[in-house]
């Protein structure tokens, strides 16, 4: 081997090692102990504030969990959904998937205030949202998991990205699968994370077409939902119905039992059990709540890893609604 080729090989190997180190360090920056010394009371502070909010309104737990989903699916888990519109950019709050439905921002504000009181300028809004979502699930009876932390906050937001990246309630299975795949989540993750619909409510406008037009729906269930959701668009659009008919404020596996009985409220829900590739996963969760709980915790950790801002990227916002 000539000295020139040897030098080139050495350079390539060095660059490859450098890339591996950079990639490895970027992934390693999220850690369950990230704030253990800089903000040791973080976990208890978020939990107590979240517990208080859910005690006042059980539905808010589902709303916070949904905020985390909608944050992570748009350019990663970076707290961008929390930003208000400014003269410089149009944020995500009024994107079609969030308009008139994304809620819980005041709860995140309250948590941020409480956290700033004990360790100012240390904890990102993105991490606060991730912890609050996990606490919501645990408080409502679902699984617990150690949340990986170390995210930093985005300095901007994208309404256009929110309009295209967040799965719609009218989506078919193929669309859902490809949208989850686009952020590194499998079809199993799709089914598992859709189990979040065991809590919370949906607006009439999002399930009207299903309860009046679709055939893969239990007749009595459709009739029940029609009683509070008129067929005419514009009438009762914001009337609410529970995503899980039986226990809408308890995190359990009834969502999957409903799907097996063709009682999914949203078109996108019932698509998971409609003769397709995900039927077996739904069936399994409908009879094995322990499996669903453990898989949900793992899938939430995986979703929380979607392209976070770390290191010197982004910032630590003082106010979750605006950049510093």
């Amino acid at each position: 081997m000539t000295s020139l080729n040897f030098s080139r090989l050495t350079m390539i190997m060095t660059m490859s090692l450098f890339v591996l180190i950079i990639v490895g360090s970027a992934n390693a920056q999220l850690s369950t102990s990230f704030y253990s010394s800089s903000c040791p009371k973080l976990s208890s502070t978020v939990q107590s504030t979240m517990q208080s909010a859910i005690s006042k309104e059980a539905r808010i737990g589902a709303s916070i969990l949904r905020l985390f989903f909608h944050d992570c699916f748009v350019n990663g888990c970076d707290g961008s959904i929390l930003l208000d519109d400014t003269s410089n950019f149009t944020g995500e709050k009024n994107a079609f998937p969030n308009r008139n439905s994304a809620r819980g921002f005041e709860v995140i504000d309250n948590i941020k205030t409480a956290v700033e009181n004990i360790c100012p300028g240390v904890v990102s809004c993105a991490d606060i949202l991730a912890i609050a979502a996990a606490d919501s699930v645990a408080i409502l009876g679902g699984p617990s998991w150690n949340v990986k932390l170390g995210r930093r906050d985005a300095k901007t937001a994208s309404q256009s990205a929110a309009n295209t990246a967040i799965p719609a309630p009218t989506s078919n299975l193929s669309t859902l699968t490809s949208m989850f795949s686009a952020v590194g989540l499998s079809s199993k993750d799709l089914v598992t994370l859709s189990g979040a619909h065991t809590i919370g409510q949906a607006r009439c406008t999002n399930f009207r077409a299903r309860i009046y037009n679709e055939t893969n729906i239990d007749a009595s269930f459709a009739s029940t939902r029609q009683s509070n959701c008129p067929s005419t668009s514009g009438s009762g659009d914001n009337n609410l119905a529970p995503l899980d008919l039986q226990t809408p404020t308890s995190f359990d596996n009834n969502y999957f039992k409903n799907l097996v009985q063709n009682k999914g409220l949203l078109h996108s829900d019932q698509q998971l059990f409609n003769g397709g590739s995900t039927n077996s996963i739904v069936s399994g969760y409908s009879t094995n709540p322990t499996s669903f709980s453990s898989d949900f915790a793992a899938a939430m950790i995986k979703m929380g890893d979607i392209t976070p801002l770390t290191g010197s990227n982004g910032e630590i916002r003082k106010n979750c609604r605006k950049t510093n």
Side-chain angles (χ1 to χ4, degrees), residues 3-320:
S3 58
L4 181 62
N5 286 341
F6 182 79
S7 298
R8 181 179 293 173
L9 179 61
T10 302
M11 183 174 69
I12 291 171
M13 290 176 67
T14 302
M15 288 176 65
S16 298
L17 181 61
F18 177 73
V19 170
L20 284 171
I21 290 170
I22 292 296
V23 172
S25 63
N27 291 340
Q29 284 175 347
L30 290 190
S31 161
T32 57
S33 59
F34 190 85
Y35 298 108
S36 58
S37 58
S38 59
C39 193
K41 295 183 179 179
L42 172 61
S43 179
S44 58
T45 302
V46 177
Q47 186 179 40
S48 62
T49 311
M50 201 63 240
Q51 180 73 66
S52 175
I54 289 177
S55 295
K56 293 174 185 174
E57 185 201 10
R59 181 190 170 204
I60 203 67
S63 298
I64 296 298
L65 180 57
R66 184 170 182 261
L67 279 186
F68 185 55
F69 272 71
H70 285 208
D71 184 39
C72 290
F73 266 76
V74 182
N75 298 324
C77 312
D78 60 2
S80 58
I81 194 172
L82 305 174
L83 289 170
D84 288 339
D85 291 355
T86 72
S87 57
N88 297 323
F89 69 88
T90 303
E92 298 164 22
K93 289 183 177 180
N94 284 309
F96 186 73
N98 297 324
R99 190 184 310 140
N100 299 322
S101 64
R103 58 196 299 274
F105 298 107
E106 297 80 6
V107 174
I108 300 301
D109 292 340
N110 291 341
I111 296 173
K112 178 63 172 175
T113 298
V115 170
E116 286 294 301
N117 285 338
I118 59 169
C119 41
V122 172
V123 183
S124 69
C125 298
D127 277 346
I128 284 174
L129 182 54
I131 301 168
D135 284 343
S136 295
V137 172
I139 291 167
L140 294 174
S144 300
W145 61 92
N146 293 320
V147 181
K148 291 164 67 175
L149 302 167
R151 301 170 190 82
R152 288 168 64 85
D153 296 321
K155 296 181 180 180
T156 188
S158 173
Q159 185 176 105
S160 60
N163 279 328
T164 57
I166 299 172
T170 53
S171 300
N172 291 328
L173 181 59
S174 59
T175 300
L176 293 168
T177 302
S178 63
M179 293 183 81
F180 271 69
S181 177
V183 292
L185 298 172
S186 67
S187 56
K188 182 181 179 181
D189 294 326
L190 159 64
V191 177
T192 307
L193 291 170
S194 294
H197 285 178
T198 186
I199 54 175
Q201 311 222 15
R203 294 181 300 144
C204 167
T205 186
N206 286 328
F207 59 84
R208 175 182 284 122
R210 169 154 169 76
I211 62 173
Y212 284 102
N213 303 328
E214 297 187 8
T215 56
N216 60 339
I217 186 168
D218 178 86
S220 62
F221 172 72
S223 178
T224 299
R225 292 280 67 91
Q226 288 170 7
S227 66
N228 194 42
C229 181
S231 59
T232 306
S233 180
S235 178
D237 283 1
N238 292 321
N239 291 353
L240 298 172
L243 287 157
D244 169 9
L245 188 62
Q246 296 121 302
T247 52
T249 57
S250 294
F251 200 96
D252 52 33
N253 71 327
N254 278 336
Y255 168 80
F256 299 105
K257 294 179 181 179
N258 294 337
L259 296 187
V260 171
Q261 297 170 12
N262 282 340
K263 293 180 180 179
L265 183 63
L266 304 178
H267 175 82
S268 56
D269 289 329
Q270 198 59 57
Q271 280 290 293
L272 303 180
F273 191 83
N274 192 42
S277 59
T278 53
N279 268 34
S280 60
I281 306 172
V282 172
S283 296
Y285 287 155
S286 73
T287 58
N288 193 334
T290 303
S291 173
F292 165 56
S293 289
S294 60
D295 286 354
F296 187 82
M300 284 294 289
I301 293 170
K302 187 175 177 181
M303 185 175 74
D305 282 342
I306 299 174
T307 56
L309 295 172
T310 57
S312 59
N313 294 317
E315 64 181 7
I316 304 296
R317 282 184 225 142
K318 297 173 183 175
N319 180 334
C320 291

